[in-house]
Amino acid sequence: MSELAPTGMDAHKPAEITRRIRLTGIAKAEMALVPLITLSVLAGIFIGFGALFYTKTTSGLDVLYPPILLLGGLAFSLGLILVVVSGAELFTGNTMIVMAVVDGKVSLAKLLRNWSIVLLGNLIGSMIILALVYWAGLFKGDVAERAMQVAVAKTSLTWVEAFCRGVLCNALVCLAVWMTVSARTTSGMIMAIVWPITGFVAMGMEHSVANMYMIPAGILSGADISFGAVLNNIFPVLLGNIVGGAGGVALFYRIAYGNTAG
């Protein structure tokens, strides 16, 4: 057994993860505007890469067949792997800053500043990769057909369905981020990400930033979707993501481990 892991487990324990997530939340809330918006744009691009990989991987196949859903989920994991390992600011993960707010380490104003800037940056990044993919001529054939199917399915959800799927999605996304903090190696971080992300995609949950790419991708591919229908998905999913990440993960662990040192 190593000195770093006297118990034989080379991973940070949950109480230590809680402390580190809190400190990370403080750092995110204090980040200057230029790096914050820059890293937020990158996160939108990275999630777009994952969404494109998912669309390409599942195109031309019967996506109702469970192994195909599993394959698509594995492909989509690319997005969060890039965000976490390369370093970027993703709104869904930043919902956990709420823990630092509850402990009085971050003001509500700074939380809302972070969320608004990061959301804007994520949207800009999504639009950048969307434009590049469109101009690259990738929305054709089976890929275009799959992009339309995804967009129509997402915008056909009711508010309640979209909200609940948003809650469930971001609980898994934030658990993935949470577990990466336990890892001491890059490979450990990647493994912590893959299964929760694969799970939420395969189970049909809703991620607000991914939808900023996937719904417009379907529209550019030919889907007849109104702007109102887009908002009818994005808003409830966004609210659900906040509840799933801030309440379903951050606050539950805050209750479990209290205001640990840091």
Side-chain angles (χ1 to χ4, degrees):
M1 293 185 289
S2 70
E3 293 182 1
L4 288 176
T7 63
M9 295 179 63
D10 187 26
H12 295 297
K13 295 181 179 180
E16 174 62 12
I17 297 173
T18 303
R19 187 185 73 86
R20 288 170 178 256
I21 290 288
R22 179 183 293 104
L23 291 175
T24 299
I26 296 169
K28 288 176 178 290
E30 297 290 344
M31 191 179 297
L33 177 61
V34 172
L36 183 61
I37 190 71
T38 302
L39 293 174
S40 302
V41 170
L42 282 176
I45 292 171
F46 293 161
I47 294 299
F49 274 126
L52 174 61
F53 195 16
Y54 164 84
T55 306
K56 185 72 174 179
T57 300
T58 61
S59 63
L61 301 170
D62 181 3
V63 295
L64 295 179
Y65 187 50
I68 302 305
L69 295 174
L70 177 64
L71 183 62
L74 286 169
F76 186 82
S77 298
L78 170 67
L80 192 63
I81 290 171
L82 291 173
V83 167
V84 173
V85 178
S86 299
E89 292 293 310
L90 183 64
F91 173 79
T92 47
N94 283 16
T95 58
M96 292 193 290
I97 298 174
V98 163
M99 183 189 295
V101 175
V102 170
D103 289 334
K105 305 291 185 179
V106 170
S107 68
L108 181 60
K110 287 186 176 180
L111 171 72
L112 296 178
R113 168 188 177 271
N114 177 275
W115 283 1
S116 59
I117 293 171
V118 171
L119 260 179
L120 175 61
N122 290 170
L123 177 60
I124 293 171
S126 298
M127 295 302 100
I128 289 172
I129 189 169
L130 187 70
L132 290 171
V133 172
Y134 178 76
W135 290 329
L138 295 178
F139 291 137
K140 295 178 180 178
D142 289 338
V143 174
E145 183 64 29
R146 179 64 185 133
M148 288 190 285
Q149 290 173 353
V150 170
V152 169
K154 288 180 177 295
T155 53
S156 297
L157 297 173
T158 67
W159 263 68
V160 172
E161 290 171 336
F163 173 79
C164 291
R165 293 187 189 201
V167 173
L168 294 168
C169 168
N170 209 33
L172 285 171
V173 171
C174 288
L175 283 170
V177 174
W178 194 275
M179 291 191 295
T180 65
V181 178
S182 75
R184 296 180 185 270
T185 64
T186 301
S187 59
M189 294 171 69
I190 292 172
M191 288 304 298
I193 290 169
V194 167
W195 290 113
I197 302 307
T198 298
F200 102 66
V201 174
M203 290 185 286
M205 306 314 174
E206 294 287 311
H207 189 279
S208 55
V209 179
N211 288 5
M212 292 176 186
Y213 169 90
M214 298 182 89
I215 296 176
I219 294 172
L220 288 176
S221 297
D224 183 14
I225 298 172
S226 68
F227 183 66
V230 175
L231 297 181
N232 199 52
N233 173 274
I234 294 296
F235 281 146
V237 170
L238 191 64
L239 291 173
N241 287 168
I242 292 172
V243 172
V249 177
L251 294 185
F252 266 83
Y253 276 104
R254 169 61 178 79
I255 292 170
Y257 292 104
N259 187 3
T260 52

